[in-house]
Amino acid sequence: MNLILLGAPGAGKGTQAEVICDHLHIPAVSTGNILREAMKNGTALGVKAKSFVDAGQLVPDQIVIEIIQERLAQPDCASGFILDGFPRTVPQAEALDQIGVRIDKVIEIYVPDEKIEQRLSGRRVCPDCGASYHVDYKPTATEGVCDKCGAAVVQRKDDHPDTIRDRLRVYHEQTEPLKDYYLKTGKLVTVEGQEEVSDTTRLTLQALEA
């Protein structure tokens, strides 16, 4: 099954992606993780992407699409995948269609803006392996240390309270139109994000069968 996860920053897409991966035995393809890895490894596409990131600009669609194409061509995606963080805009979704990527279902994790602000300000990430945590909802076993690789976790600049509202505005303007795009294809299923992660997970797995 080829899936897309939609939702505002901090809605819990990454957490649900991990659950779906285990449930369906397919990989999560996180655009953010792929870009960070490409930049860290200094690949040709990574160097291109880094020049935009360092300038505080969005990485152009063409570079992101090329990186996605490379990732989806790998053997572990042959039986399905979850796209997390891509597409972010309708033109990206159209580009995905144009390169022949079949999408079976689009799952939106919906959480109100005020809840998003609370969640994001407490989020911590590992700069080395990309693992994501939260000081309240998903703390590390040892405070400040990544469970997976032992590196120090950090609060991303994007998760500072003074930038969260701006990120939400950008999401509503640029990414939310994807809901209508996929609703017209009959592929969109909306899951209401719950207080307990396990409850959201239950609803997400139900959505897979819908």
Side-chain angles (χ1 to χ4, degrees):
M1 186 178 283
N2 299 342
L3 303 169
I4 289 174
L5 285 181
L6 286 182
K13 299 186 300 296
T15 299
Q16 297 309 319
E18 290 180 9
V19 172
I20 295 171
C21 286
D22 291 340
H23 185 71
L24 296 179
H25 307 293
I26 58 177
V29 178
S30 167
T31 312
N33 288 349
I34 294 172
L35 282 171
R36 280 189 288 273
E37 185 176 343
M39 290 188 289
K40 183 179 176 182
N41 294 336
T43 67
L45 287 173
V47 170
K48 285 184 184 178
K50 191 174 188 301
S51 66
F52 290 94
V53 172
D54 288 348
Q57 300 172 350
L58 289 175
V59 178
D61 285 358
Q62 188 55 45
I63 294 176
V64 177
I65 289 163
E66 286 182 44
I67 290 176
I68 290 285
Q69 267 191 294
E70 284 185 357
R71 181 66 185 88
L72 297 185
Q74 294 179 19
D76 63 337
C77 291
S79 298
F81 53 81
I82 304 168
L83 284 179
D84 177 11
F86 186 92
R88 289 186 185 274
T89 63
V90 170
Q92 287 182 352
E94 292 170 342
L96 206 57
D97 291 339
Q98 288 165 8
I99 62 175
V101 176
R102 188 193 83 253
I103 299 299
D104 298 308
K105 190 162 291 188
V106 179
I107 297 177
E108 178 206 12
I109 309 294
Y110 172 75
V111 178
D113 284 4
E114 58 271 19
K115 292 284 186 183
I116 292 288
E117 291 181 31
Q118 177 188 356
R119 288 185 180 187
L120 283 183
S121 61
R123 191 161 67 172
R124 301 292 182 270
V125 296
C126 176
D128 285 6
C129 73
S132 183
Y133 303 94
H134 194 283
V135 294
D136 295 321
Y137 305 120
K138 190 183 176 185
T140 54
T142 301
E143 185 175 351
V145 178
C146 178
D147 294 348
K148 294 184 178 180
C149 72
V153 298
V154 298
Q155 183 182 48
R156 297 192 312 183
K157 290 181 181 178
D158 282 353
D159 292 337
H160 289 177
D162 58 349
T163 64
I164 293 171
R165 287 185 183 87
D166 191 53
R167 294 183 67 204
L168 287 170
R169 178 187 59 77
V170 170
Y171 171 78
H172 292 309
E173 290 177 359
Q174 298 183 4
T175 305
E176 206 162 34
L178 285 170
K179 292 168 60 175
D180 285 338
Y181 183 84
Y182 286 114
L183 187 62
K184 291 173 183 174
T185 68
K187 296 176 181 177
L188 180 72
V189 181
T190 297
V191 170
E192 296 269 350
Q194 305 295 308
E195 283 296 321
E196 294 293 332
V197 173
S198 59
D199 290 334
T200 304
T201 296
R202 174 176 51 80
L203 294 174
T204 301
L205 293 179
Q206 287 176 1
L208 291 176
E209 310 300 327

